[in-house]
Amino acid sequence: MIKRVIIFFSVFALSFGIFAQDGASNDPILFTVEDTPVHVSEFEYIYKKTNGDKATFSQESLQEYLDLYVKFKLKVQRAKDMKLDTVPSLMQELAGYRRQLADSYLIDREVTDKLVKEIYESSKQDVDLSHILISCAADASPQDSLIAYKKALEAKEMIEKGNRFDEIARKYSNDKSAEKNGGRIGYVTVPFPNFYYELEKADYSVPVGKLMGPVRSQAGYHLVKIHDRRPSRGEMEVSHILTRFDKHGNDPVKARKRIDSVYMELEKGTKWETVARDWSDDNVTKNKGGYIGFFGINRYEKAFENAAHAIAKDGEYSKPFQSSIGWHIIRRHKKKGVEPFNVAKPRWENKIKKDSRYELAKAAMVDRIKEDGDFREFQPAYKTFVDSLDEEFLTYKWKAPEKKEDDVLFSFGTDLKVSKAEFAEYLQRASRKRIRMANKVSVPEAVSSLYNDFVSENALKYEEKQLDKKYPEFKALMREYEEGILLFEATKILVWDKASQDTVGLKKFFDENKTTYNWERRAVATQYYLKNDNKHLIAQVRQMAKENPSTYVLSHFNTDPNKPILSARDRTYEKGRNTQLDAIDWTVGALTQTDIAKRDQALNFMKIEEILEPAPKTLKDARGYVVADYQDTLEKSWIEELRKSYKVKIDTKVLEDLVK
């Protein structure tokens, strides 16, 4: 179906756009086909989109495109009169596309796009923070969660009373690193590890200096203090040379002397790669010029990171500096800052779709739909349904009751009411989900989980039905796809299929126009291919081919029938259709230059065996061209017939108002 639409829009050069609603007082009608109006907004957007920089709005340009668009609308009108909009396969095709578009429209616009913009804006800054973690499992009982929450509040109160954050972190935090760093994480950037989205949002929104929390994550409750924000450091591509302490008896002085010698070599002008190979103690990178690649913040020690970002220009290197493992010199290759949004967007999309924030955002969207859609639940109906189930529900044996219960479980406004029977059918389809829950949760808990999924599914169905009302551009887009599918089908039936299948009409058309289908001057040529392993024989092959037929040449060189080294094929070429032949004079016996095939490096050349003078083509010879020309003729006849059949009324005053 997608191919069908792409083909249609390629052929007719039409585009989609955002149009005002039909009948708007500030959106006059440009033309009508029978009683179907086309408003200025529709025509103007498609005109600009199709013509791009050439959309001059001149009288000539507008008139030319108007003629094209009128033809398009005439064809759509005929397709509707042919009742193609009632063909089940086409209706199913359009419904399928609508579902795809609605999913994309809802999820991409309300979830993906928002998350991408959010994380992109956050990526412009690094955040310096301290935190305290009070551990609490994601599936902890309400009692355990409350205990952890109260402990987090207690720690927060201690800090707010004047106690030092680092002291409270060492006392309360379950993050083991807090014993050494007092909870000071330092600078971080997005994205935070999976399941820490709420913490990430909080860290990028709280004011500098403010204590925040408790914030819940899958790990527990967090207290966070923001110390600073700075423009993002981005990533740095570097190489390094290392003198390790443990390679020099753990003697810092010896290691320092060695790195000083390294620095002197570099200052003398010795190539970086040579020095790295001969002096570096990093066995992983030394033979690659010390190349590490790109790294972002918090991947290496602060001393290493700070030294790399202190180098001002690509190609320059640092002075020796010390880390916990030894002494380094870093060479900067390239600094990668925050990319433009259109470049970064695909990368962020891939990341967030694998992150828990994606599901959280989808859940938030469902909550919004439920609120906007006046969502109502009917608990008595739900309770009686759950009470009717036993342990068999979590096995493959369970089936939806044969008796359909029409009691309403939930509703969205007056447009969508969902019954117990529909829920039961869903549960039967969701057998894998049901069975996976066996021995893990109770029947009521399993039903509750599946019920939430079912509600979410119906929320999206409900919202899909509202898209036409909420978003004029969605309605316009669907209209354009519908018209595209109808026109494609009508053109296929009345033009494309007819041109290729109407043998009588095609023969008649050819007989009336046969003088236009002629062969140019042609050469019958033999092309020889000699395997690359035997290229030393090419001169002999050329000499023998010049004076003998191909059968003789092949038998002479292919002495082993199981391992032929030479092949040949005969083909006929029109003048101007083969670059090898066009490079020589066309005389019988002439040879082209030897060429080398890209695929297998075989040496090849061509020999002209016969010259054919210009001659008429048969219908078989010219069939492809004849069918294409016959299609054009049928198309023109179709347009003429449509103009006679349907009344087209153009408002010339409205057209003149478009001229600039």
Side-chain angles (χ1 to χ4, degrees), residues 149 152-153 156 160 202 206 211-216 222-224:
Y149 181 73
L153 287 179
K156 183 177 183 181
E160 289 174 339
V206 69
L211 179 65
M212 171 192 61
V215 178
R216 186 70 160 100
H222 304 259
L223 298 178
V224 180

Side-chain angles (χ1 to χ4, degrees), residues 304-357:
F304 193 93
E305 179 185 319
N306 291 337
H309 283 278
I311 304 172
K313 297 179 181 178
D314 295 348
E316 294 183 349
Y317 52 84
S318 70
K319 290 184 178 181
F321 66 92
Q322 184 178 342
S323 75
S324 64
I325 63 171
W327 288 86
H328 308 255
I329 298 174
I330 295 177
R331 183 188 186 192
R332 167 174 158 171
H333 291 276
K334 184 179 180 181
K335 180 177 174 62
K336 185 189 294 184
V338 178
E339 298 171 315
F341 180 72
N342 62 324
V343 176
K345 184 180 179 182
R347 177 169 58 86
W348 285 125
E349 282 180 346
N350 289 334
K351 284 189 176 182
I352 65 173
K353 287 181 179 178
K354 300 173 184 176
D355 192 277
S356 61
R357 74 187 67 205

Side-chain angles (χ1 to χ4, degrees), residues 518-536:
N518 298 294
W519 289 113
E520 299 292 335
R521 194 165 182 244
R522 290 169 292 162
V524 179
T526 301
Q527 187 161 20
Y528 290 89
Y529 289 89
L530 178 65
K531 289 186 176 180
N532 185 263
D533 294 343
N534 300 275
K535 60 185 178 183
H536 60 283

Side-chain angles (χ1 to χ4, degrees), residues 70 153 194 265 438 495 551 571:
V70 167
L153 287 179
N194 201 9
E265 285 292 321
V495 177
T551 52
R571 291 187 65 179

Side-chain angles (χ1 to χ4, degrees), residues 510-563:
F510 174 75
D511 291 340
E512 292 172 352
N513 299 276
K514 63 172 56 180
T515 56
T516 62
Y517 304 105
N518 298 294
W519 289 113
E520 299 292 335
R521 194 165 182 244
R522 290 169 292 162
V524 179
T526 301
Q527 187 161 20
Y528 290 89
Y529 289 89
L530 178 65
K531 289 186 176 180
N532 185 263
D533 294 343
N534 300 275
K535 60 185 178 183
H536 60 283
L537 298 174
I538 188 64
Q540 297 177 42
V541 174
R542 287 179 63 90
Q543 183 61 38
M544 186 169 289
K546 188 172 184 178
E547 300 170 356
N548 298 280
S550 60
T551 52
Y552 179 81
V553 178
L554 292 174
S555 65
H556 179 81
F557 286 98
N558 292 330
T559 55
D560 185 347
N562 296 319
K563 296 181 179 180

